[in-house]
Amino acid sequence: MTTVLVVNSGSSSLKYQLLDHAEQVVASGLVERIGGAGRITHRGPGGEVIVDADVPDHRAALALMLATCTSSGADLAPDVVGHRVVHGGARFSAPVVVDDAVEAAVEELAALAPLHNPPGLLGIRAARATFPGVPQVAVFDTAFHATIPPEAATYAIDAGLAADRGIRRYGFHGTSHEYVSQEAARFLGHAGRFVVLHLGNGASACAVSGGRSVATSMGLTPLKGLVMGTRGGDLDPGAVLHLLRSGMTVDEVDTLLNRRSGLAGLTGSGDLRDVLAAAGGGDAQAELALDVYAHRVRGYVGAYLAHLGGLDALVFTAGVGENSPEVRARVVGGLGHLGLAVDPARNGAGERVARLVSPDDGPVPVLVVPTNEELQIARHALTAVAPG
Ligand code: ADP
């Protein structure tokens, strides 16, 4: 019997899931406000438990997780731990068992992902100390996109500089795009040419051909591409230079691009539900934000259809993609000429399973597929320690 612990570590939070050999979730939870007076919300066989406790660091977060598991009657003895790591750079094109060299490489990659890799590293270090002898596997958000061909990964800047600094398209949300495209292939009975739209707080599009990523909308960093909750996606790099020359500091521009852009920048709220409600109430700025959002998505669908040479399914996933019939209708509504349409009744139905939302006579299936990054990380963690 093999038990996998999946750890998704943020700078001040740590999400975890324990899965058994049958891929069932035995326990899961979230430790919040790491660095001070924290809290764990744990769900296990005994129901939900919430405990407030001092959580000075990620190691203390894992200790709290273990203690809460034990006190609520669950045995937390993982055979392998899988970690979500955002940036694997050019070095990691597949999940890898963590040793000191891998840990050092993930630390070096923090230069490319200063917001995202350090928390992953904290989780890895804490888990190595907490579960000595248990293999730890790093699963990278970038890895699924390692198959993107050079013409889609290369930025047209000074080639020597780009090579020296590792500046190229890496792409993110790979674990989700991989899982969702596999589920879509299972649903349809074939792995064809898919466009997967991961629309959550972060958002990205991915062109998948025969199970491999061939293009994706995020780039060197997760700032590129679609309109997101607080990130604006595509932007003329000249705008960044202009802001810097006009007196903003690098940190101010960083905050603007990561926290004060996207839906939040356009409307004041990064939550699509608020934007939909405001637009429904006649707010013209909210309506514009939804138009910008859907226009951007449609542009990527069209571009990827061109790259793929056709389309066998359009797939929606993540918080917005799974839960918002209105956003799906707004995106697909402008793409009838590409053979895409939603059936209103199917689109409005809400079960959390892979399902068809296009009409039976629609030339191109439109699917909603719930993502499950934890399960995909668990599968990769098991494969990495037991290859073949
Ligand atoms: P993350 O990128 O942080 O993993 P999620 O995939 O969980 O985020 O997506 C969260 C977002 O999904 C929320 O910010 C919210 O905007 C959006 N969302 C959730 N439910 C709905 C809904 N019913 N309608 C529209 N948007 C929704």
Side-chain angles (χ1 to χ4, degrees):
M1 175 154 148
T2 309
T3 305
V4 188
L5 175 67
V6 175
V7 174
N8 184 349
S9 179
S11 55
S12 65
S13 69
L14 188 148
K15 281 192 235 168
Y16 59 90
Q17 235 182 52
L18 192 70
L19 295 101
D20 67 13
H21 65 289
E23 299 190 336
Q24 295 303 305
V25 178
V26 180
S28 64
L30 168 71
V31 184
E32 297 167 276
R33 301 194 303 261
I34 299 173
R39 161 175 291 188
I40 185 168
T41 307
H42 175 84
R43 278 171 301 277
E48 186 174 277
V49 187
I50 297 177
V51 181
D52 289 321
D54 199 31
V55 188
D57 55 25
H58 286 69
R59 206 165 157 178
L62 288 182
L64 180 61
M65 176 189 78
L66 276 175
T68 312
C69 262
T70 307
S71 66
S72 63
D75 172 29
L76 206 165
D79 300 297
V80 52
V81 183
H83 295 268
R84 176 185 181 216
V85 180
V86 171
H87 215 311
R91 168 151 179 196
F92 298 110
S93 56
V96 62
V97 179
V98 176
D99 57 16
D100 290 345
V102 169
E103 203 180 288
V106 172
E107 188 161 23
E108 270 174 40
L109 286 164
L112 285 177
L115 296 178
H116 296 95
N117 270 28
L121 196 60
L122 288 171
I124 288 174
R125 288 190 169 136
R128 287 184 86 189
T130 305
F131 303 105
V134 175
Q136 314 279 326
V137 178
V139 181
F140 301 94
D141 273 17
T142 46
F144 181 58
H145 303 300
T147 48
I148 289 179
E151 65 271 23
T154 303
Y155 291 131
I157 61 169
D158 181 309
L161 183 75
D164 184 50
R165 307 284 170 91
I167 297 179
R168 45 159 284 183
R169 183 188 302 277
Y170 294 99
F172 299 87
H173 290 145
T175 305
S176 175
H177 287 301
E178 181 183 46
Y179 175 82
V180 168
S181 54
Q182 287 172 353
E183 288 298 302
R186 198 194 316 274
F187 183 88
L188 294 168
H190 62 91
R193 297 158 299 179
F194 303 155
V195 172
V196 179
L197 299 171
H198 176 112
L199 308 178
N201 276 322
S204 67
C206 182
V208 182
S209 181
R212 293 154 71 91
S213 170
V214 294
T216 195
S217 59
M218 284 178 166
L220 170 76
T221 74
L223 279 176
K224 175 84 170 61
L226 303 181
V227 176
M228 313 181 210
T230 64
R231 288 169 264 165
D234 293 345
L235 176 73
D236 178 352
V240 176
L241 297 176
H242 179 73
L243 292 171
L244 290 170
R245 288 201 184 100
S246 67
M248 283 179 81
T249 65
V250 171
D251 283 346
E252 284 167 348
V253 175
D254 189 311
T255 302
L256 172 75
L257 298 178
N258 277 295
R259 311 221 176 282
R260 291 175 46 216
S261 296
L263 296 173
L266 289 172
T267 70
S269 172
D271 192 315
L272 224 135
R273 286 165 289 201
D274 297 338
V275 186
L276 286 168
D283 182 327
Q285 186 64 19
E287 190 60 40
L288 172 66
L290 293 175
D291 285 346
V292 175
Y293 186 100
H295 176 269
R296 187 75 55 78
V297 175
R298 286 196 295 269
Y300 275 94
V301 174
Y304 290 171
L305 197 150
H307 295 324
L308 289 165
L311 190 61
D312 298 310
L314 178 66
V315 191
F316 286 89
T317 194
V320 175
E322 292 170 31
N323 297 307
S324 179
E326 186 165 351
V327 168
R328 292 194 296 266
R330 279 174 181 261
V331 167
V332 174
L335 298 173
H337 58 296
L338 300 180
L340 291 157
V342 289
D343 174 84
R346 286 179 179 171
N347 190 36
E351 322 97 284
R352 258 196 69 78
V353 290
R355 65 190 198 276
L356 187 73
V357 294
S358 50
D360 284 332
D361 60 354
V364 182
V366 180
L367 307 181
V368 173
V369 175
T371 193
N372 193 339
E373 289 165 281
E374 288 78 12
L375 176 55
Q376 192 73 356
I377 290 171
R379 287 176 178 170
H380 277 308
L382 281 176
T383 308
V385 293

